[in-house]
Amino acid sequence: MNLNNIITEIEKTDPEVYGRLSGRRQAMKNFANLSGKIALSSLPIALGTMFQKAYGKSTDIITDVLNFALTLEYLEKEFYDDGLASVGLIPAGADRTAFENIRLHETEHVQFLRDTIVALGGTPVMKPTFDFTAGNGSMTGPFTGVFSNYDLFLAVSQTLEDTGVRAYKGQAGNLISSNEVLTAALRIHSVEARHASHVREIRSRKPSAFVVGIPDPWITLNQSNVASPLVQPNYNGEELLTQAGVNIVGINGFNITADDASEAFDEPLTKEQILAIVDPFIV
Amino acid sequence: MPNKTAIKLDEGVSEKTFFSQVSRRRFLNYAGLTAGAMVFASSCKKDLRGGESASDFAHEDPHNKPKNTVNLGSGDIGVLNYAYALEQLEAAFYAQVNQTPYAGISGKEADYLQDIRQHEIAHREFLKNVLGDKAIGTLLLDFSSINFSSRDSVLATAKAFEDVGVSAYNGAGQLLQSPDYLLYAGKIVSVEARHAACLRDLISYGSFADSTAVNSMGLDLVRTPTEVLAIASTYIKTKIIANNLPTS
């Protein structure tokens, strides 16, 4: 975990992050003081606390969440814009129709989030510049060829959709004070899950070097079904087998396996986890 | 063959628990005296419970007798009981689907429908355990309008249940006070949406998120408990009192 990278990423969506953290130098100093006193394993908690201090008291917490979501929707929309514009990438017929439908939804989400942020008195963040090779702007990252190799495109699409579900889920609690915004976010969240289900279905019907096993529409344990270790952080944590302290495996005498238990519940990721995951895609 | 029998949904009592609650002698009495119920038991077998370790006779536990009326209650408990009622409906439906697969079911369809049954059982039992002694009892269900031998009937019903489930959870989120419960609802609803998209694709490939599911702002279905329970009442014979649920 590189704190500098994380703060740099947040700065892209929230230019005022240093102000919130009492300035970059002070933030670093605070963190240095903190990190000298705590065990390495507690670092994520310490980081969370630091950001909670920066964001938790903000009256703009809802627009912050919406701007975070907007950044992810920009990412998805542009990914599908580029994919659909790449001649010969997406086969005509059912596949192309499906991705046009998904692209339409992502475009609508961008518009909806921008409108909602403005309505709440906030300012929508600008669209970042993206590098879908996951090369941080080098355009020669590990996913080079994502817009010429359909199997790679599908793998990245599935990962983006599954990750989008996790991102929205992780923010629901931050929206609990606004019925309207929470409900809208939930309604976007389930659309992303529908997309993920379909892209996984496409991949289940199209074996390739990029497909591991046969993807189901749902996520089994922390299996990505993608032949790249780079996407593993996007799936880590999905293997959770207990919920609210209740062991789901074999619950109440039913023959619920670990696979079943993990599939039955999708797991959230925090904003910080998501920003670290999408970092390579943002120039 | 259409199932004309009102399905009594049995509850989550393991064999071990069952035998600890009902003595062997009483068990034999049940077995000998409740001939009508035995027909029911033999027609439902293990799959209705989705687990090999489950007792065929657990539904004979008097604690699990379907209720004529249940009151969901108020506050977060009421909302969780609302979800529990819907998961009871879904789990029992898929149990029957797996018990009596429709003609011509493909291997892929059978796999998906079995997975979905397992997920719905997990949801139902999770909610039951979270609710503890606040849980509504077992609902009396009626699947007589469903033709379980027909692919079209089964998949259309499954799709409807999943879309309704998505809309129900999407509408229920704002009714919850606890961020923890909200998160658990969120963990479940996206799985219901994966089911909905999967079933839609089985019925008509590519309809996973068509305009009957997603509106022109890119937003999924949403319904109030009143709307959802009106739809579900076709399949739920137990009277569900929901007037103490939060409204915002």
Side-chain angles (χ1 to χ4, degrees):
Chain A
M1 180 181 300
N2 184 325
L3 179 64
N4 263 313
N5 284 350
I6 291 173
I7 294 182
T8 303
E9 281 313 317
I10 294 176
E11 192 186 17
K12 289 174 185 169
T13 55
D14 178 8
E16 293 165 18
V17 62
Y18 294 131
R20 297 178 193 280
L21 291 168
S22 316
R24 185 188 187 95
R25 285 181 64 184
Q26 189 60 40
M28 287 301 145
K29 195 177 161 199
N30 289 347
F31 184 73
N33 287 342
L34 205 53
S35 62
K37 296 169 191 162
I38 56 177
L40 198 60
S41 60
S42 306
L43 271 178
I45 296 168
L47 268 178
T49 306
M50 191 171 89
F51 285 117
Q52 194 159 9
K53 280 181 184 167
Y55 286 91
K57 292 173 187 167
S58 169
T59 54
D60 299 331
I61 189 163
I62 288 175
T63 50
D64 287 349
V65 169
L66 295 178
N67 267 321
F68 167 62
L70 177 58
T71 302
L72 299 177
E73 297 288 355
Y74 281 139
L75 177 79
E76 290 184 316
K77 176 191 182 297
E78 188 161 308
F79 178 74
Y80 295 115
D81 281 343
D82 290 356
L84 286 162
S86 300
V87 176
L89 177 73
I90 303 174
D95 288 26
R96 186 161 185 94
T97 303
F99 281 112
E100 283 173 346
N101 191 32
I102 291 173
R103 187 257 302 268
L104 173 64
H105 294 155
E106 311 301 7
T107 305
E108 289 163 349
H109 294 165
V110 166
Q111 190 62 49
F112 180 84
L113 291 168
R114 288 182 60 92
D115 290 350
T116 304
I117 291 164
V118 169
L120 293 173
T123 305
V125 291
M126 302 280 285
K127 183 186 76 62
T129 302
F130 296 115
D131 172 3
F132 293 108
T133 73
N136 263 125
S138 72
M139 301 297 174
T140 56
F143 296 149
T144 297
V146 66
F147 296 124
S148 57
N149 182 325
Y150 186 50
D151 296 320
L152 176 57
F153 175 85
L154 288 174
V156 175
S157 168
Q158 178 203 295
T159 305
L160 289 179
E161 297 295 341
D162 280 334
T163 305
V165 173
R166 303 189 74 176
Y168 276 97
K169 201 187 313 296
Q171 294 306 309
N174 289 330
L175 300 176
I176 202 164
S177 63
S178 168
N179 285 346
E180 293 76 13
V181 177
L182 172 62
T183 301
L186 288 172
R187 296 174 71 185
I188 295 176
H189 169 248
S190 57
V191 171
E192 303 293 345
R194 288 178 189 266
H195 293 170
S197 178
H198 186 71
V199 176
R200 299 174 74 89
E201 179 66 35
I202 295 175
R203 295 188 78 233
S204 80
R205 298 175 183 212
K206 194 173 184 311
S208 78
F210 291 93
V211 179
V212 177
I214 302 173
D216 278 332
W218 27 89
I219 300 167
T220 305
L221 301 171
N222 66 351
Q223 296 166 9
S224 68
N225 299 109
V226 172
S228 167
L230 290 171
V231 304
Q232 194 53 51
N234 302 55
Y235 290 90
N236 284 342
E238 290 281 8
E239 71 276 20
L240 198 62
L241 301 179
T242 60
Q243 303 290 345
V246 176
N247 186 4
I248 306 300
V249 177
I251 185 169
N252 295 339
F254 288 91
N255 184 25
I256 302 298
T257 66
D259 283 6
D260 300 332
S262 66
E263 290 165 4
F265 296 84
D266 281 339
E267 299 303 325
L269 287 174
T270 66
K271 185 179 186 176
E272 289 70 32
Q273 288 170 315
I274 295 287
L275 289 171
I277 281 172
V278 301
D279 174 281
F281 290 103
I282 298 178
V283 177
Chain B
M1 183 181 75
N3 190 317
K4 297 294 186 189
T5 312
I7 302 296
K8 286 191 292 182
L9 177 62
D10 53 0
E11 274 301 313
V13 178
S14 69
E15 197 161 18
K16 189 177 172 188
T17 311
F18 173 73
F19 281 107
S20 69
Q21 288 178 352
V22 182
S23 73
R24 180 180 174 81
R25 198 166 135 195
R26 281 188 66 199
F27 169 76
L28 291 174
N29 281 341
Y30 276 117
L33 294 176
T34 56
M38 290 306 291
V39 172
F40 167 78
S42 63
S43 70
C44 292
K45 296 183 183 168
K46 293 172 183 173
D47 269 359
L48 185 55
R49 297 180 46 84
E52 291 172 7
S53 64
S55 163
D56 285 355
F57 307 107
H59 66 278
E60 291 305 317
D61 182 337
H63 298 294
N64 292 326
K65 190 180 172 194
K67 303 286 191 293
N68 292 322
T69 304
V70 296
N71 190 328
L72 298 179
S74 60
D76 282 1
I77 294 296
V79 178
L80 295 180
N81 264 323
Y82 166 54
Y84 178 46
L86 298 178
E87 298 290 354
Q88 285 194 40
L89 175 62
E90 288 187 311
F93 167 74
Y94 289 107
Q96 186 63 43
V97 169
N98 281 273
Q99 175 67 25
T100 54
Y102 51 78
I105 190 169
S106 73
K108 181 170 190 147
E109 289 167 357
D111 284 349
Y112 282 172
L113 290 166
Q114 182 172 324
D115 278 3
I116 295 173
R117 174 193 65 187
Q118 298 297 91
H119 304 161
E120 305 299 4
I121 291 171
H123 294 164
R124 182 188 71 197
E125 297 303 308
F126 167 72
L127 289 164
K128 183 184 184 208
N129 287 14
V130 167
L131 283 158
D133 62 8
K134 301 287 200 306
I136 55 169
T138 302
L139 300 177
L140 182 62
L141 304 175
D142 177 3
F143 293 148
S144 59
S145 61
I146 302 163
N147 182 352
F148 282 93
S149 66
S150 156
R151 182 180 186 273
D152 287 352
S153 177
V154 167
L155 294 184
T157 306
K159 169 196 156 190
F161 281 0
E162 298 295 342
D163 276 345
V164 167
V166 170
S167 73
Y169 279 100
N170 280 347
Q174 64 163 311
L175 306 181
L176 288 166
Q177 297 293 318
S178 158
D180 291 337
Y181 291 152
L182 175 60
L183 178 58
Y184 292 115
K187 292 181 181 206
I188 292 173
V189 66
S190 56
V191 175
E192 304 290 354
R194 290 175 188 274
H195 294 167
C198 165
L199 290 158
R200 284 168 159 268
D201 276 344
L202 289 181
I203 294 169
S204 174
Y205 189 59
S207 67
F208 58 100
D210 67 17
S211 60
T212 62
V214 182
N215 74 10
S216 63
M217 289 189 291
L219 305 180
D220 210 324
L221 302 166
V222 61
R223 288 189 180 91
T224 65
T226 303
E227 292 168 331
V228 168
L229 291 171
I231 295 169
S233 68
T234 301
Y235 308 99
I236 300 177
K237 290 300 139 195
T238 300
K239 178 177 167 55
I240 296 179
I241 298 171
N243 58 11
N244 296 316
L245 286 184
T247 54
S248 67

